[in-house]
Amino acid sequence: MAAGGGDVTGLLGGPTACPCGSDASYDACCGPLHRGARQAATAVELMRSRYSAFVLGELDHLFRTWHPRTRPPRLVEDGLDTSRTWTGLDVLDHGEDWVAFDAHYTVGGVAGVQHERSRFERRAGRWVYVDALD
């Protein structure tokens, strides 16, 4: 099981639903973005892939998709908070360069919600996460 508690392998090694909550399998949804096989076409698609990256511990994807100006300086060295298990994503609203969402999680068996309105921008033709507006 990956950091954050996600597992995208079903019985007999087949793909399961993508952690981002889409109706697609991981291999048809966020998997290609995590592997660098393709780029996100929209800010919403990037935000969903970043949520899945937190679930699955895909630190490389988070690093590649975080604007260098706002990326935590020790992201790779410090890693992800493994005490938080991500349990679901609700996309509430979005525009061309922002996405409002609720990311559900548990810490020590206690449920919580991270509400965020994230800002994205295109950099060298690719969507990147900039920061949280609220």
Side-chain angles (χ1 to χ4, degrees), residues 93-108:
D93 199 3
H94 64 88
E96 182 179 353
D97 62 354
W98 61 272
V99 181
F101 63 90
D102 285 341
H104 303 269
Y105 62 87
T106 60
V107 174

Side-chain angles (χ1 to χ4, degrees), residues 51-98:
Y51 171 81
S52 290
F54 277 102
V55 170
L56 300 172
E58 291 286 342
L59 190 58
D60 289 343
H61 180 69
L62 294 170
F63 184 87
R64 285 192 314 271
T65 60
W66 211 314
H67 195 293
R69 186 179 69 242
T70 59
R71 182 188 309 133
R74 296 187 41 86
L75 177 64
V76 173
E77 295 84 358
D78 293 345
L80 298 176
D81 177 4
T82 58
S83 69
R84 188 175 289 204
T85 300
W86 298 100
T87 59
L89 175 68
D90 297 317
V91 176
L92 305 174
D93 199 3
H94 64 88
E96 182 179 353
D97 62 354
W98 61 272

Side-chain angles (χ1 to χ4, degrees), residues 12-27:
L12 304 176
T16 62
C18 192
C20 78
S22 72
D23 292 331
S25 72
Y26 173 74
D27 287 337

